Amino acid sequence: MDVRLYDTDDRGTERWGRLALPLLSADPHANTVALTALAEVAGGGLGVDTLLTVHDGGDRVVGAALRFAGFALLVSGLPPEAAAAVADALGDIPMADRGLFGAAPAADALAAARSARTGEVPMTDVDMRLWVLGGLVGPGGVPGAARAAVEDDGPMLAQWLRAFAADVAVDHPGRPDPDGDGAPATGPDPATLVAEHRAVGRDVVVWEDAGTPVAFAVGRRAAAGAARIGPVYTPPEHRGHGYASAVTAAATARALAAGARDVVLFTDVAADVPNRIYARIGYQPAGLHREVRLVPAHAQAR
């Protein structure tokens, strides 16, 4: 197989997109992270530092991958049989903590190929279940209502994002960017958080009960017809009342109303409550994804 790398300037990105986007868009569920993140780039989202396509020995594109600066290589668009060729094309520079994220067969194959080439040790940070909406079932009897976030919610939402990241870090030590929002390690800027989300097309939804905000969910703009929900967070003192189900259902309904054909989300396979919640409101499991860190052999040996 022939692997081609592209410059990440405007010309290289345009060439890559012309070849890669039809392939990624053919499976918008598995490739949701790549597609929704690319949709945000137009609004000022993160830039990419790696772009590649895989060809069948001719001009037919059979795989594609990309990496946003500082994050994992997104590999759901790669056929597992291309792993060795992709590992060679990426060279010997360690990928360190950025690692890989994608459908488990592709992630496992490339992790093994990188290990064989460079000695990097694959470490699974988390297994993620992909869910695709079947038919939305709004939870009944949950007090309160949904509303769009406003600028004054910024300090609260920044605090909740930090708390969410801390919760994930307890369960998955060392996992990079556990909140998944692209914010720096110091956390988002409360003063501009809502505006920045809105600028890249994110719909931040707050559930409010008797005037008190109790949960939030973020809806990502649809790409290739599929919108993605996440993160979703309820502070500990407000859990057990159905708020997470309600705010997720509300964010889902808003995504559908905005034109999405499908809505997807991810859960930690080991997180029992979220998996039950999303099944009850109409989401169906649609595959296993995996976050894999690639630790340099010398670091593992210490």
Side-chain angles (χ1 to χ4, degrees), residues 44-254:
L46 296 169
V48 295
D49 68 9
T50 302
L51 296 167
L52 66 87
T53 54
V54 181
H55 300 252
D56 63 357
D59 286 331
R60 188 169 72 95
V61 179
V62 296
L66 71 159
R67 182 172 62 200
F68 290 87
F71 292 85
L73 184 71
L74 301 176
V75 300
S76 289
L78 293 176
E81 59 269 23
V86 172
D88 288 345
L90 292 172
D92 295 328
I93 298 174
M95 294 177 70
D97 287 342
R98 290 179 295 181
L100 315 169
F101 176 76
D108 290 345
L110 185 53
R114 286 289 300 181
S115 184
R117 178 182 173 89
T118 67
E120 290 168 304
V121 179
M123 298 183 65
T124 297
D125 276 320
V126 58
D127 283 333
M128 305 287 285
R129 179 171 288 121
L130 174 66
W131 297 80
V132 177
L133 183 68
L136 182 61
V137 181
V142 180
R147 63 168 176 81
V150 297
E151 280 76 4
D152 288 347
D153 291 320
M156 173 191 73
L157 294 172
Q159 180 181 354
W160 286 2
L161 282 168
R162 287 192 294 268
F164 177 61
D167 285 351
V168 174
V170 168
D171 294 332
H172 305 287
R175 179 189 181 204
D177 189 43
D179 60 15
D181 75 337
T186 54
D189 181 349
T192 60
L193 186 151
V194 175
E196 289 176 357
H197 276 62
R198 190 179 297 125
V200 296
R202 297 178 187 173
D203 182 29
V204 184
V205 183
V206 174
W207 191 266
E208 199 169 76
D209 183 8
T212 300
V214 293
F216 88 105
V218 178
R220 314 289 177 122
R221 69 164 69 188
R228 177 163 55 93
I229 306 298
V232 177
Y233 181 72
T234 306
E237 65 271 22
H238 297 306
R239 293 173 187 170
H241 302 286
Y243 298 138
S245 298
V247 77
T248 303
T252 301
R254 289 169 65 94

Side-chain angles (χ1 to χ4, degrees), residues 290-301:
R290 183 163 289 141
E291 290 185 5
V292 182
R293 265 182 298 152
L294 295 168
V295 181
H298 63 84
Q300 180 72 8

